[in-house]
Amino acid sequence: MPSPRTGATLALATCAWLALTPAFADTVPVKIGVLADMSGIFSDIGGKGALEATLMAVEDFKALPEAKGLTIDVVSGDALNKPDVSSSIARKWFDSEGVDVLVDLPTSAISLAIAPLVQEKNKVALFTASGTSDLSGKACTANSVHWTYDTWALAHGTADAITRGGGKTWFFLTADFALGHALERDAGAVVVADGGKVVGNVRHPTDTKDFSSYLLKAQASGAQVVALANAGGDTITAIKQAAEFGIVESGQKLAGMLLFISDIHSLGLKTAQGLQLTTGFYWDQNDQTRAFGKRFAARSNGRFPSMNQAGAYSAVLAYLKAVAKTGSAKDGAAVVTAMRAAGTFDDPLFGKTHLRADGRVVHQMMLVQVKKPAESKGPFDYYTILATIPPDRAFRPIADSDCPLVKK
């Protein structure tokens, strides 16, 4: 039996140990930085909606038992779709404002610039709005999580379906930046693997207003499929001008390699009807997604969430649960390890989900077709789900990854 003095010493040691454990810590500060396109051509697919989705995730997390002791702050910034501006904001947030994690990151070029910075500072990047599959390939880091979609998944959904359906010759109209290049590369590989042929391509700058010269080249190519390897406002403008040029009426098919429900809303069903696309989220898929979609719309002037905005919600929720397990947000790599250690879980928006060693978050994807105006029953009732692609087929096999963190 210990002496009174020994007993007191043990009690003090126990109290000190308990004070350092997550369950007994007084407060665990977490600061989330939503770095999105707040004013440019990608603002509808992320932007203020990504911020709103992040705030919803924080609210929902705070209702969970494990949230006790965490104090969560959210800040936001406009990336202006420029890697240098985004890197400057991120560095300031990390060095002087105590931000622990970045969310959204609106372009692949921005994400490829941010990934090494996040690793250097041992923070976390939740890439929920950028597409290049290099983020879980040669550019992967132990601090990066690539949620929502990537160019490999989009290519193997849309390009595979269209090529197997008879669209054997392709012409790419490609945005001249990292995402466009990756979309063309990955989709072109699928076309060739399926027995098709890429007969030409043309590249355009971001935020192009006049696609006439590019569309004339696409028409002159005689390709069965004109693939739009771009995003946001560029895709909307290209589709509208393609209609003016009679691209589809002349017998060519338009393939949107990266389309969002906000794009369909801007185009209108009369223009967008019949388009096939691949998405990781659709608000009207099931009861859980419908509940989230309607709640989001009530807070967002009636606009329903894009897959990027849904990705921000799910990624932030999973991140906060991992912080609660580790007891601190200060070691970014440790938090990502905790996210991976969660194994396969039921995400409320994406279904069965897990984080791989290469930073790729794996979940189902869907091949959908845009409804005709007469088929739509209400606001944002835009998609018919043609096929659900299971997680093990939706993303590049990890055995094929060139991520240096993956053991061969």
Side-chain angles (χ1 to χ4, degrees):
M1 181 175 179
S3 68
R5 180 181 294 275
T6 303
T9 301
L10 287 173
L12 287 171
T14 301
C15 288
W17 176 80
L18 289 175
L20 294 173
T21 63
F24 291 86
D26 290 333
T27 58
V28 176
V30 186
K31 197 165 188 178
I32 302 168
V34 180
L35 187 53
D37 176 4
M38 297 294 184
S39 57
I41 63 171
F42 306 126
S43 56
D44 280 349
I45 61 182
K48 294 178 181 177
L51 174 60
E52 196 62 51
T54 297
L55 294 172
M56 290 170 67
V58 171
E59 290 171 15
D60 290 351
F61 174 75
K62 286 182 175 179
L64 301 176
E66 57 262 43
K68 185 178 181 181
L70 268 67
T71 58
I72 307 167
D73 292 316
V74 179
V75 297
S76 64
D78 191 343
L80 298 178
N81 298 324
K82 295 179 179 179
D84 57 340
V85 171
S86 299
S87 296
S88 177
I89 292 172
R91 190 174 291 277
K92 180 183 177 184
W93 278 356
F94 292 154
D95 291 345
S96 60
E97 298 186 24
V99 169
D100 302 296
V101 57
L102 301 179
V103 187
D104 191 284
L105 293 309
T107 73
S108 294
I110 287 172
S111 295
L112 290 170
I114 290 291
L117 174 61
V118 169
Q119 184 177 38
E120 173 195 336
K121 300 294 184 179
N122 196 20
K123 304 293 185 175
V124 175
L126 302 174
F127 297 121
T128 59
S130 44
T132 178
S133 55
D134 289 344
L135 288 170
S136 56
K138 60 185 180 182
C140 76
T141 79
N143 299 71
S144 302
V145 177
H146 197 186
W147 209 287
T148 319
Y149 71 96
D150 64 27
T151 52
W152 194 100
L154 297 175
H156 285 74
T158 306
D160 184 65
I162 293 175
T163 307
R164 289 179 182 273
K168 294 295 186 181
T169 55
W170 287 60
F171 183 95
F172 282 89
L173 200 162
T174 303
D176 194 12
F177 66 108
L179 171 69
H181 298 174
L183 277 171
E184 182 181 330
R185 176 196 68 200
D186 290 348
V190 173
V191 170
V192 172
D194 285 345
K197 183 179 180 181
V198 177
V199 298
N201 74 325
V202 65
R203 291 180 173 172
H204 68 84
T206 303
D207 204 11
T208 291
K209 303 303 182 185
D210 183 2
F211 280 87
S212 56
S213 63
Y214 309 121
L215 291 169
L216 286 171
K217 289 180 181 179
Q219 280 186 314
S221 74
Q224 294 170 296
V225 182
V226 177
L228 305 177
N230 47 22
D234 283 331
T235 306
I236 293 169
T237 302
I239 292 174
K240 286 180 177 178
Q241 293 182 14
E244 295 170 5
F245 273 77
I247 294 284
V248 174
E249 288 81 355
S250 66
Q252 291 177 297
K253 178 187 285 287
L254 280 181
M257 300 310 301
L258 178 56
L259 279 165
F260 298 87
I261 199 165
S262 52
D263 300 331
I264 306 305
H265 185 71
S266 296
L267 287 164
L269 292 183
K270 184 178 179 181
T271 300
Q273 61 182 314
L275 282 171
Q276 291 184 8
L277 59 118
T278 303
T279 183
F281 171 83
Y282 178 40
W283 74 269
D284 202 18
Q285 184 186 4
N286 56 50
D287 288 344
Q288 284 185 295
T289 57
R290 275 188 286 275
F292 174 79
K294 291 175 180 178
R295 179 180 159 210
F296 180 95
R299 300 163 61 130
S300 305
N301 297 317
R303 296 183 70 92
F304 282 69
S306 71
M307 69 167 164
N308 287 359
Q309 291 156 350
Y313 173 89
S314 291
V316 169
L317 191 59
Y319 168 83
L320 290 173
K321 289 179 180 179
V323 171
K325 287 181 180 178
T326 59
S328 173
K330 299 310 174 188
D331 185 343
V335 176
V336 172
T337 297
M339 293 178 71
R340 189 176 300 114
T344 300
F345 60 94
D346 285 309
D347 183 83
L349 304 185
F350 292 86
K352 296 290 185 184
T353 299
H354 71 274
L355 172 59
R356 301 192 315 200
D358 59 354
R360 176 69 255 169
V361 173
V362 176
H363 50 75
Q364 70 175 15
M365 298 288 286
M366 292 169 282
L367 180 68
V368 303
Q369 183 166 301
V370 179
K371 292 182 175 182
K372 298 176 181 178
E375 296 172 332
S376 178
K377 305 303 181 186
F380 286 80
D381 176 24
Y382 293 161
Y383 294 161
T384 296
I385 299 174
L386 302 178
T388 299
I389 307 167
D392 61 341
R393 288 180 38 226
F395 293 92
R396 175 176 55 194
I398 195 166
D400 296 339
S401 173
D402 54 356
C403 169
L405 301 175
V406 176
K407 295 180 180 179
K408 300 294 185 180

